Amino acid sequence: MKTIGKIFLWICSALLIIWMVPRIVRLASLQTYSTPFTLYSPIIDGFVWRADTEDKFALEDQQGNIYRGKDSDTLLPLFYYTDLAVRGKLPQEIHGKAITVDDIKLNRVVEMSRPSEINKPKRPVYLLMESVPEREGELEDAEYAIICRKDGFHVYKMEENKEDATLTSDLAAKTAGFAHPAVLVAGNPSHHKSYDEGYLMTDSQDAVWHIKMANGQIVAENFGTKSALRHMMITENDNHRTLGFLFGEDDSFSILMPDGSVIPTEVKCNPLKQSIMVVGDQVNYTIKVSDNDKEKFYALNSDDFSLIDTMERVYPDDKNIWDYLTPLRMIFTTSTDEYVYPRFRLL
């Protein structure tokens, strides 16, 4: 028994060393690094970012040119439109498109996704908000929820914690052909938006469905089978122009339109391992895809989502001599998921 106890003690000690020593060394030698906020400028047709100067308004472009003073905001008029409008410097036209403050607000798009938001335990319970509230623009608390099971959809009235047989059978009829169980589900049951589009769902045969509550009745639409998907995002922007973003198993990124049609783009992203940020307006979309090694920017035309330009920024190597002296390490968490369990990494 003594021998077994000693072996167990040595194993525990080794695991503790593998876990704690690299962690302590890493914290002691950590060097912070950040990258500047970057957008595509429709004025100079290139990417610009905050310059590393004493001038807090200065912007820098890909050629190294520095634009100083408050007038540097004119390079991004659809982003800094509020200040420019007050100063009377908002352009009336960009690339043949009329520009007004109301149009800018209507067409502004900001969407983000991180791997940790996807790689986490999921509960197959989804709140059904009313898409057509009594007062326009004032979303109400959800009264019903959909529970996705292998035998089909079940609609529950939450106040009574009881299944609504009528709505369940109605949903079953409207989703006839849905190959259960649901594989991917995308929705945003929140009041922090102007309207609700319910959920995008894929079944086990890769068909994309759109399900929502409207005037107390469930509405379901089958958009047909798409290529295999890793992830979906529903978009509920004020201009109602798009319905969602689709991320394919081949790292493709596509735009799902309200009529179910799909517009492919040249953006590449694996949302299970990479973060994505989309900032759009009526002229251009700037899309940032980043991971632990680099970030890549794509500029798309807002009309047809065709590629305009790309830019890549590689992060500096943050390894030091201590990383090579302690190559084997044990960690319990990562930035790409919300699971906690021991994992061994070899640098």
Side-chain angles (χ1 to χ4, degrees):
M1 291 296 293
K2 280 188 175 182
T3 303
I4 295 176
K6 288 182 179 180
I7 294 174
F8 180 74
L9 180 61
W10 279 107
I11 292 175
C12 290
S13 299
L15 291 176
L16 187 62
I17 291 172
I18 293 174
W19 176 37
M20 291 302 298
V21 172
R23 190 177 183 86
I24 293 172
V25 171
R26 185 72 173 169
L27 289 174
S29 60
L30 184 65
Q31 295 181 350
T32 60
Y33 175 75
S34 62
T35 58
F37 182 66
T38 303
L39 287 176
Y40 187 81
S41 169
I43 303 301
I44 64 171
D45 292 325
F47 292 98
V48 296
W49 54 89
R50 283 297 178 192
D52 186 16
T53 66
E54 295 182 358
D55 184 353
K56 64 180 181 179
F57 298 106
L59 293 176
E60 182 178 355
D61 65 17
Q62 292 170 269
Q63 288 71 42
N65 300 314
I66 304 294
Y67 304 85
R68 302 180 184 276
K70 288 188 176 182
D71 287 343
S72 62
D73 289 354
T74 58
L75 297 183
L76 298 171
L78 302 182
F79 190 80
Y80 297 111
Y81 67 91
T82 303
D83 185 53
L84 292 177
V86 170
R87 291 156 50 199
K89 294 192 175 183
L90 185 68
Q92 296 182 350
E93 183 180 291
I94 298 177
H95 288 210
K97 293 184 176 181
I99 302 299
T100 66
V101 171
D102 289 340
D103 286 338
I104 294 174
K105 291 179 179 179
L106 178 65
N107 291 284
R108 190 165 188 180
V109 175
V110 179
E111 302 286 350
M112 290 179 285
S113 174
R114 295 188 298 269
S116 60
E117 298 172 345
I118 306 170
N119 302 319
K120 63 180 181 180
K122 297 178 178 64
R123 298 178 180 86
V125 180
Y126 306 100
L127 304 183
L128 268 177
M129 300 186 71
E130 174 58 59
S131 298
V132 187
E134 292 184 3
R135 293 185 177 182
E136 185 177 355
E138 295 185 13
L139 295 175
E140 304 164 354
D141 291 335
E143 296 182 15
Y144 297 91
I146 294 179
I147 298 179
C148 300
R149 296 175 180 161
K150 291 183 179 179
D151 63 342
F153 296 121
H154 298 263
V155 182
Y156 275 71
K157 187 166 185 177
M158 294 186 292
E159 185 178 2
E160 301 175 0
N161 194 25
K162 182 179 179 181
E163 184 172 5
D164 189 308
T166 301
L167 286 178
T168 296
S169 60
D170 183 45
L171 180 56
K174 291 177 179 177
T175 57
F178 191 103
H180 294 280
V183 179
L184 298 176
V185 180
N188 180 28
S190 166
H191 292 85
H192 300 293
K193 55 187 181 181
S194 60
Y195 67 100
D196 179 75
E197 278 292 356
Y199 295 91
L200 293 174
M201 298 187 183
T202 63
D203 62 14
S204 58
Q205 296 180 353
D206 297 324
V208 177
W209 291 73
H210 182 208
I211 299 174
K212 65 180 180 179
M213 175 79 78
N215 295 313
Q217 300 295 319
I218 294 179
V219 178
E221 188 174 6
N222 182 2
F223 289 148
T225 301
K226 312 298 181 183
S227 57
L229 300 176
R230 280 199 181 105
H231 182 56
M232 297 187 298
M233 292 173 62
I234 197 163
T235 56
E236 293 160 325
N237 302 308
D238 290 343
N239 61 7
H240 295 251
R241 182 160 180 242
T242 64
L243 182 58
F245 298 148
L246 307 181
F247 299 83
E249 290 283 358
D250 57 353
D251 295 345
S252 61
F253 174 82
S254 304
I255 312 295
L256 178 65
M257 306 304 284
D259 62 357
S261 61
V262 175
I263 301 177
T265 74
E266 295 191 44
V267 177
K268 293 294 181 181
C269 176
N270 180 352
L272 304 185
K273 297 180 180 180
Q274 297 174 303
S275 297
I276 185 170
M277 179 179 70
V278 180
V279 180
D281 52 55
Q282 64 203 89
V283 179
N284 303 126
Y285 273 54
T286 301
I287 299 180
K288 171 187 172 183
V289 179
S290 59
D291 53 27
N292 292 330
D293 300 319
K294 63 182 179 181
E295 54 190 27
K296 186 167 184 177
F297 296 88
Y298 300 83
L300 305 183
N301 185 295
S302 292
D303 291 333
D304 57 6
F305 301 103
S306 59
L307 183 66
I308 300 174
D309 198 2
T310 63
M311 185 186 77
E312 187 171 283
R313 183 182 286 139
V314 179
Y315 301 149
D317 187 0
D318 62 350
K319 294 185 180 66
N320 54 48
I321 188 171
W322 296 107
D323 291 318
Y324 297 101
L325 292 176
T326 57
L328 180 63
R329 57 191 61 191
M330 182 176 68
I331 58 176
F332 286 88
T333 61
T334 72
S335 61
T336 58
D337 63 47
E338 292 190 0
Y339 297 101
V340 180
Y341 62 89
R343 330 168 198 218
F344 292 92
R345 295 286 174 86
L346 185 64
L347 292 182

